[in-house]
mmCIF file of all heavy atoms in Angstrom:
data_model
loop_
_atom_site.group_PDB
_atom_site.id
_atom_site.type_symbol
_atom_site.label_atom_id
_atom_site.label_comp_id
_atom_site.label_asym_id
_atom_site.label_seq_id
_atom_site.Cartn_x
_atom_site.Cartn_y
_atom_site.Cartn_z
ATOM 1 N N LEU A 264 -11.289 11.685 -1.490
ATOM 2 C CA LEU A 264 -12.428 12.443 -1.987
ATOM 3 C C LEU A 264 -11.864 13.641 -2.865
ATOM 4 O O LEU A 264 -10.940 14.283 -2.381
ATOM 5 C CB LEU A 264 -13.217 13.139 -0.821
ATOM 6 C CG LEU A 264 -13.986 12.084 0.110
ATOM 7 C CD1 LEU A 264 -13.079 11.553 1.145
ATOM 8 C CD2 LEU A 264 -15.189 12.811 0.704
ATOM 9 N N ILE A 265 -12.381 13.746 -4.077
ATOM 10 C CA ILE A 265 -11.881 14.794 -4.904
ATOM 11 C C ILE A 265 -13.104 15.760 -5.208
ATOM 12 O O ILE A 265 -14.083 15.344 -5.738
ATOM 13 C CB ILE A 265 -11.285 14.282 -6.217
ATOM 14 C CG1 ILE A 265 -10.079 13.387 -5.894
ATOM 15 C CG2 ILE A 265 -10.892 15.395 -7.163
ATOM 16 C CD1 ILE A 265 -9.455 12.725 -7.132
ATOM 17 N N PHE A 266 -12.922 17.025 -4.771
ATOM 18 C CA PHE A 266 -13.864 17.996 -4.987
ATOM 19 C C PHE A 266 -13.383 19.103 -5.992
ATOM 20 O O PHE A 266 -12.367 19.704 -5.707
ATOM 21 C CB PHE A 266 -14.286 18.751 -3.749
ATOM 22 C CG PHE A 266 -14.926 17.914 -2.662
ATOM 23 C CD1 PHE A 266 -14.116 17.232 -1.700
ATOM 24 C CD2 PHE A 266 -16.215 17.756 -2.558
ATOM 25 C CE1 PHE A 266 -14.707 16.507 -0.712
ATOM 26 C CE2 PHE A 266 -16.874 17.008 -1.556
ATOM 27 C CZ PHE A 266 -16.079 16.364 -0.666
ATOM 28 N N ASP A 267 -14.025 19.198 -7.132
ATOM 29 C CA ASP A 267 -13.645 20.241 -8.092
ATOM 30 C C ASP A 267 -14.646 21.396 -8.009
ATOM 31 O O ASP A 267 -15.699 21.316 -8.531
ATOM 32 C CB ASP A 267 -13.588 19.631 -9.468
ATOM 33 C CG ASP A 267 -12.964 20.576 -10.505
ATOM 34 O OD1 ASP A 267 -12.511 21.605 -10.128
ATOM 35 O OD2 ASP A 267 -13.033 20.229 -11.663
ATOM 36 N N GLU A 268 -14.232 22.463 -7.340
ATOM 37 C CA GLU A 268 -15.102 23.637 -7.213
ATOM 38 C C GLU A 268 -16.463 23.374 -6.725
ATOM 39 O O GLU A 268 -17.482 23.751 -7.306
ATOM 40 C CB GLU A 268 -15.272 24.382 -8.575
ATOM 41 C CG GLU A 268 -13.894 24.725 -9.243
ATOM 42 C CD GLU A 268 -13.501 26.167 -9.066
ATOM 43 O OE1 GLU A 268 -14.121 26.874 -8.296
ATOM 44 O OE2 GLU A 268 -12.442 26.556 -9.622
ATOM 45 N N PRO A 269 -16.635 22.563 -5.581
ATOM 46 C CA PRO A 269 -18.001 22.193 -5.193
ATOM 47 C C PRO A 269 -18.837 23.260 -4.672
ATOM 48 O O PRO A 269 -20.065 23.198 -4.734
ATOM 49 C CB PRO A 269 -17.723 21.202 -4.110
ATOM 50 C CG PRO A 269 -16.398 21.621 -3.507
ATOM 51 C CD PRO A 269 -15.605 22.166 -4.672
ATOM 52 N N THR A 270 -18.234 24.412 -4.232
ATOM 53 C CA THR A 270 -19.038 25.487 -3.638
ATOM 54 C C THR A 270 -19.423 26.585 -4.582
ATOM 55 O O THR A 270 -20.035 27.507 -4.267
ATOM 56 C CB THR A 270 -18.257 26.022 -2.362
ATOM 57 O OG1 THR A 270 -16.998 26.404 -2.814
ATOM 58 C CG2 THR A 270 -18.200 25.045 -1.308
ATOM 59 N N THR A 271 -18.884 26.435 -5.803
ATOM 60 C CA THR A 271 -19.158 27.477 -6.847
ATOM 61 C C THR A 271 -20.700 27.578 -7.098
ATOM 62 O O THR A 271 -21.351 26.590 -7.316
ATOM 63 C CB THR A 271 -18.396 27.166 -8.205
ATOM 64 O OG1 THR A 271 -17.039 27.109 -7.885
ATOM 65 C CG2 THR A 271 -18.722 28.222 -9.285
ATOM 66 N N GLY A 272 -21.210 28.747 -7.057
ATOM 67 C CA GLY A 272 -22.602 29.010 -7.357
ATOM 68 C C GLY A 272 -23.572 28.695 -6.186
ATOM 69 O O GLY A 272 -24.767 28.838 -6.327
ATOM 70 N N LEU A 273 -23.025 28.339 -5.029
ATOM 71 C CA LEU A 273 -23.903 28.001 -3.935
ATOM 72 C C LEU A 273 -24.241 29.309 -3.099
ATOM 73 O O LEU A 273 -23.324 30.122 -2.970
ATOM 74 C CB LEU A 273 -23.238 27.014 -2.945
ATOM 75 C CG LEU A 273 -22.955 25.608 -3.437
ATOM 76 C CD1 LEU A 273 -22.403 24.744 -2.301
ATOM 77 C CD2 LEU A 273 -24.233 24.950 -4.010
ATOM 78 N N ASP A 274 -25.406 29.373 -2.553
ATOM 79 C CA ASP A 274 -25.745 30.446 -1.707
ATOM 80 C C ASP A 274 -25.083 30.257 -0.376
ATOM 81 O O ASP A 274 -24.600 29.144 -0.082
ATOM 82 C CB ASP A 274 -27.291 30.631 -1.503
ATOM 83 C CG ASP A 274 -27.939 29.380 -0.805
ATOM 84 O OD1 ASP A 274 -27.633 29.265 0.386
ATOM 85 O OD2 ASP A 274 -28.581 28.612 -1.432
ATOM 86 N N PRO A 275 -24.899 31.335 0.455
ATOM 87 C CA PRO A 275 -24.119 31.232 1.646
ATOM 88 C C PRO A 275 -24.591 30.046 2.586
ATOM 89 O O PRO A 275 -23.757 29.375 3.257
ATOM 90 C CB PRO A 275 -24.302 32.593 2.329
ATOM 91 C CG PRO A 275 -24.626 33.465 1.221
ATOM 92 C CD PRO A 275 -25.371 32.695 0.246
ATOM 93 N N VAL A 276 -25.930 29.823 2.686
ATOM 94 C CA VAL A 276 -26.401 28.817 3.559
ATOM 95 C C VAL A 276 -25.970 27.393 3.065
ATOM 96 O O VAL A 276 -25.400 26.594 3.869
ATOM 97 C CB VAL A 276 -27.907 28.902 3.748
ATOM 98 C CG1 VAL A 276 -28.445 27.730 4.598
ATOM 99 C CG2 VAL A 276 -28.303 30.198 4.304
ATOM 100 N N ALA A 277 -26.151 27.146 1.750
ATOM 101 C CA ALA A 277 -25.828 25.878 1.221
ATOM 102 C C ALA A 277 -24.294 25.680 1.245
ATOM 103 O O ALA A 277 -23.861 24.513 1.567
ATOM 104 C CB ALA A 277 -26.300 25.820 -0.223
ATOM 105 N N ARG A 278 -23.559 26.722 1.079
ATOM 106 C CA ARG A 278 -22.139 26.635 1.049
ATOM 107 C C ARG A 278 -21.623 26.257 2.521
ATOM 108 O O ARG A 278 -20.724 25.419 2.641
ATOM 109 C CB ARG A 278 -21.469 28.007 0.733
ATOM 110 C CG ARG A 278 -20.022 28.033 0.562
ATOM 111 C CD ARG A 278 -19.579 29.273 -0.151
ATOM 112 N NE ARG A 278 -18.267 29.649 0.334
ATOM 113 C CZ ARG A 278 -18.070 30.675 1.095
ATOM 114 N NH1 ARG A 278 -19.073 31.468 1.480
ATOM 115 N NH2 ARG A 278 -16.860 30.996 1.507
ATOM 116 N N LYS A 279 -22.266 26.844 3.514
ATOM 117 C CA LYS A 279 -21.893 26.540 4.855
ATOM 118 C C LYS A 279 -22.230 25.066 5.250
ATOM 119 O O LYS A 279 -21.437 24.339 5.860
ATOM 120 C CB LYS A 279 -22.599 27.458 5.903
ATOM 121 C CG LYS A 279 -22.129 27.396 7.291
ATOM 122 C CD LYS A 279 -22.627 28.476 8.146
ATOM 123 C CE LYS A 279 -22.076 28.468 9.566
ATOM 124 N NZ LYS A 279 -22.371 27.260 10.245
ATOM 125 N N GLU A 280 -23.386 24.648 4.775
ATOM 126 C CA GLU A 280 -23.843 23.211 4.973
ATOM 127 C C GLU A 280 -22.857 22.252 4.402
ATOM 128 O O GLU A 280 -22.419 21.316 5.051
ATOM 129 C CB GLU A 280 -25.144 22.943 4.412
ATOM 130 C CG GLU A 280 -26.346 23.567 5.194
ATOM 131 C CD GLU A 280 -27.693 23.370 4.504
ATOM 132 O OE1 GLU A 280 -27.672 23.157 3.343
ATOM 133 O OE2 GLU A 280 -28.674 23.620 5.167
ATOM 134 N N VAL A 281 -22.390 22.566 3.155
ATOM 135 C CA VAL A 281 -21.478 21.711 2.402
ATOM 136 C C VAL A 281 -20.111 21.695 3.181
ATOM 137 O O VAL A 281 -19.479 20.582 3.426
ATOM 138 C CB VAL A 281 -21.326 22.129 0.935
ATOM 139 C CG1 VAL A 281 -20.128 21.459 0.329
ATOM 140 C CG2 VAL A 281 -22.601 21.827 0.201
ATOM 141 N N LEU A 282 -19.679 22.885 3.551
ATOM 142 C CA LEU A 282 -18.341 22.969 4.177
ATOM 143 C C LEU A 282 -18.371 22.229 5.504
ATOM 144 O O LEU A 282 -17.394 21.591 5.906
ATOM 145 C CB LEU A 282 -17.872 24.510 4.318
ATOM 146 C CG LEU A 282 -17.538 25.136 2.948
ATOM 147 C CD1 LEU A 282 -17.302 26.573 3.242
ATOM 148 C CD2 LEU A 282 -16.385 24.480 2.251
ATOM 149 N N ASN A 283 -19.419 22.528 6.310
ATOM 150 C CA ASN A 283 -19.508 21.851 7.600
ATOM 151 C C ASN A 283 -19.473 20.298 7.471
ATOM 152 O O ASN A 283 -18.773 19.668 8.264
ATOM 153 C CB ASN A 283 -20.868 22.210 8.245
ATOM 154 C CG ASN A 283 -20.869 23.569 8.851
ATOM 155 O OD1 ASN A 283 -19.797 24.204 8.863
ATOM 156 N ND2 ASN A 283 -22.007 24.076 9.232
ATOM 157 N N GLU A 284 -20.155 19.752 6.496
ATOM 158 C CA GLU A 284 -20.148 18.306 6.321
ATOM 159 C C GLU A 284 -18.768 17.836 5.871
ATOM 160 O O GLU A 284 -18.290 16.747 6.247
ATOM 161 C CB GLU A 284 -21.180 17.845 5.284
ATOM 162 C CG GLU A 284 -21.566 16.391 5.373
ATOM 163 C CD GLU A 284 -21.866 15.924 6.859
ATOM 164 O OE1 GLU A 284 -22.574 16.727 7.549
ATOM 165 O OE2 GLU A 284 -21.349 14.890 7.241
ATOM 166 N N MET A 285 -18.111 18.651 5.028
ATOM 167 C CA MET A 285 -16.718 18.319 4.670
ATOM 168 C C MET A 285 -15.778 18.275 5.877
ATOM 169 O O MET A 285 -14.893 17.482 5.952
ATOM 170 C CB MET A 285 -16.269 19.281 3.545
ATOM 171 C CG MET A 285 -16.849 18.925 2.161
ATOM 172 S SD MET A 285 -16.562 20.304 0.966
ATOM 173 C CE MET A 285 -14.876 20.016 0.564
ATOM 174 N N MET A 286 -16.025 19.215 6.786
ATOM 175 C CA MET A 286 -15.177 19.286 8.021
ATOM 176 C C MET A 286 -15.430 18.022 8.866
ATOM 177 O O MET A 286 -14.497 17.572 9.508
ATOM 178 C CB MET A 286 -15.464 20.564 8.733
ATOM 179 C CG MET A 286 -14.833 21.756 8.043
ATOM 180 S SD MET A 286 -15.262 23.325 8.745
ATOM 181 C CE MET A 286 -13.949 23.576 9.837
ATOM 182 N N VAL A 287 -16.658 17.549 8.825
ATOM 183 C CA VAL A 287 -16.942 16.338 9.606
ATOM 184 C C VAL A 287 -16.134 15.132 9.074
ATOM 185 O O VAL A 287 -15.545 14.328 9.745
ATOM 186 C CB VAL A 287 -18.454 16.044 9.621
ATOM 187 C CG1 VAL A 287 -18.773 14.639 10.147
ATOM 188 C CG2 VAL A 287 -19.256 17.099 10.373
ATOM 189 N N VAL A 288 -16.124 15.100 7.720
ATOM 190 C CA VAL A 288 -15.416 14.058 7.006
ATOM 191 C C VAL A 288 -13.912 14.108 7.327
ATOM 192 O O VAL A 288 -13.166 13.100 7.432
ATOM 193 C CB VAL A 288 -15.671 14.166 5.480
ATOM 194 C CG1 VAL A 288 -14.813 13.131 4.770
ATOM 195 C CG2 VAL A 288 -17.132 13.889 5.203
ATOM 196 N N LEU A 289 -13.412 15.373 7.447
ATOM 197 C CA LEU A 289 -12.023 15.508 7.781
ATOM 198 C C LEU A 289 -11.605 14.895 9.062
ATOM 199 O O LEU A 289 -10.377 14.629 9.289
ATOM 200 C CB LEU A 289 -11.658 17.025 7.830
ATOM 201 C CG LEU A 289 -12.000 17.835 6.575
ATOM 202 C CD1 LEU A 289 -11.500 19.242 6.750
ATOM 203 C CD2 LEU A 289 -11.398 17.195 5.325
ATOM 204 N N ASN A 290 -12.496 14.695 9.948
ATOM 205 C CA ASN A 290 -12.165 14.063 11.231
ATOM 206 C C ASN A 290 -11.622 12.686 11.095
ATOM 207 O O ASN A 290 -11.014 12.131 11.937
ATOM 208 C CB ASN A 290 -13.356 14.133 12.228
ATOM 209 C CG ASN A 290 -13.673 15.536 12.643
ATOM 210 O OD1 ASN A 290 -12.762 16.353 12.712
ATOM 211 N ND2 ASN A 290 -14.903 15.806 12.858
ATOM 212 N N ASP A 291 -12.090 12.032 9.988
ATOM 213 C CA ASP A 291 -11.616 10.647 9.740
ATOM 214 C C ASP A 291 -10.214 10.734 9.086
ATOM 215 O O ASP A 291 -10.018 11.156 7.955
ATOM 216 C CB ASP A 291 -12.593 10.033 8.697
ATOM 217 C CG ASP A 291 -12.200 8.597 8.457
ATOM 218 O OD1 ASP A 291 -11.104 8.158 8.806
ATOM 219 O OD2 ASP A 291 -12.967 7.858 7.828
ATOM 220 N N GLU A 292 -9.226 10.471 9.883
ATOM 221 C CA GLU A 292 -7.840 10.655 9.524
ATOM 222 C C GLU A 292 -7.390 9.744 8.359
ATOM 223 O O GLU A 292 -6.315 9.940 7.796
ATOM 224 C CB GLU A 292 -6.886 10.553 10.717
ATOM 225 C CG GLU A 292 -7.106 11.703 11.631
ATOM 226 C CD GLU A 292 -6.164 11.637 12.810
ATOM 227 O OE1 GLU A 292 -5.431 10.690 12.938
ATOM 228 O OE2 GLU A 292 -6.232 12.581 13.603
ATOM 229 N N ASP A 293 -8.138 8.742 8.090
ATOM 230 C CA ASP A 293 -7.740 7.779 7.021
ATOM 231 C C ASP A 293 -8.108 8.299 5.663
ATOM 232 O O ASP A 293 -7.618 7.716 4.614
ATOM 233 C CB ASP A 293 -8.404 6.372 7.211
ATOM 234 C CG ASP A 293 -7.820 5.717 8.515
ATOM 235 O OD1 ASP A 293 -6.684 6.025 8.847
ATOM 236 O OD2 ASP A 293 -8.495 4.847 9.080
ATOM 237 N N ARG A 294 -8.966 9.274 5.710
ATOM 238 C CA ARG A 294 -9.432 9.758 4.328
ATOM 239 C C ARG A 294 -8.584 10.902 3.872
ATOM 240 O O ARG A 294 -8.235 11.783 4.588
ATOM 241 C CB ARG A 294 -10.904 10.165 4.416
ATOM 242 C CG ARG A 294 -11.751 8.988 4.658
ATOM 243 C CD ARG A 294 -13.060 9.155 4.028
ATOM 244 N NE ARG A 294 -14.098 9.025 5.045
ATOM 245 C CZ ARG A 294 -15.392 9.265 4.839
ATOM 246 N NH1 ARG A 294 -15.771 9.714 3.645
ATOM 247 N NH2 ARG A 294 -16.317 9.084 5.742
ATOM 248 N N SER A 295 -8.310 10.909 2.546
ATOM 249 C CA SER A 295 -7.558 12.002 1.959
ATOM 250 C C SER A 295 -8.487 12.876 1.116
ATOM 251 O O SER A 295 -9.422 12.301 0.560
ATOM 252 C CB SER A 295 -6.411 11.476 1.109
ATOM 253 O OG SER A 295 -5.751 10.462 1.704
ATOM 254 N N ILE A 296 -8.175 14.199 1.044
ATOM 255 C CA ILE A 296 -9.115 15.033 0.315
ATOM 256 C C ILE A 296 -8.289 15.989 -0.604
ATOM 257 O O ILE A 296 -7.285 16.562 -0.139
ATOM 258 C CB ILE A 296 -9.973 15.882 1.323
ATOM 259 C CG1 ILE A 296 -10.865 14.891 2.115
ATOM 260 C CG2 ILE A 296 -10.846 16.802 0.475
ATOM 261 C CD1 ILE A 296 -11.704 15.606 3.097
ATOM 262 N N LEU A 297 -8.732 16.077 -1.811
ATOM 263 C CA LEU A 297 -8.228 17.086 -2.734
ATOM 264 C C LEU A 297 -9.381 18.043 -3.018
ATOM 265 O O LEU A 297 -10.444 17.532 -3.437
ATOM 266 C CB LEU A 297 -7.632 16.528 -3.966
ATOM 267 C CG LEU A 297 -7.181 17.580 -5.029
ATOM 268 C CD1 LEU A 297 -5.990 18.352 -4.508
ATOM 269 C CD2 LEU A 297 -6.833 16.919 -6.309
#
Side-chain angles (χ1 to χ4, degrees):
Chain A
L264 292 88
I265 299 179
F266 295 92
D267 187 9
E268 306 258 7
T270 53
T271 301
L273 293 186
D274 64 68
V276 176
R278 187 164 147 254
K279 189 167 183 301
E280 284 173 344
V281 167
L282 291 175
N283 283 351
E284 199 48 46
M285 285 168 77
M286 287 173 94
V287 170
V288 174
L289 303 185
N290 291 331
D291 182 348
E292 290 181 359
D293 290 336
R294 292 210 236 173
S295 314
I296 299 179
L297 176 67

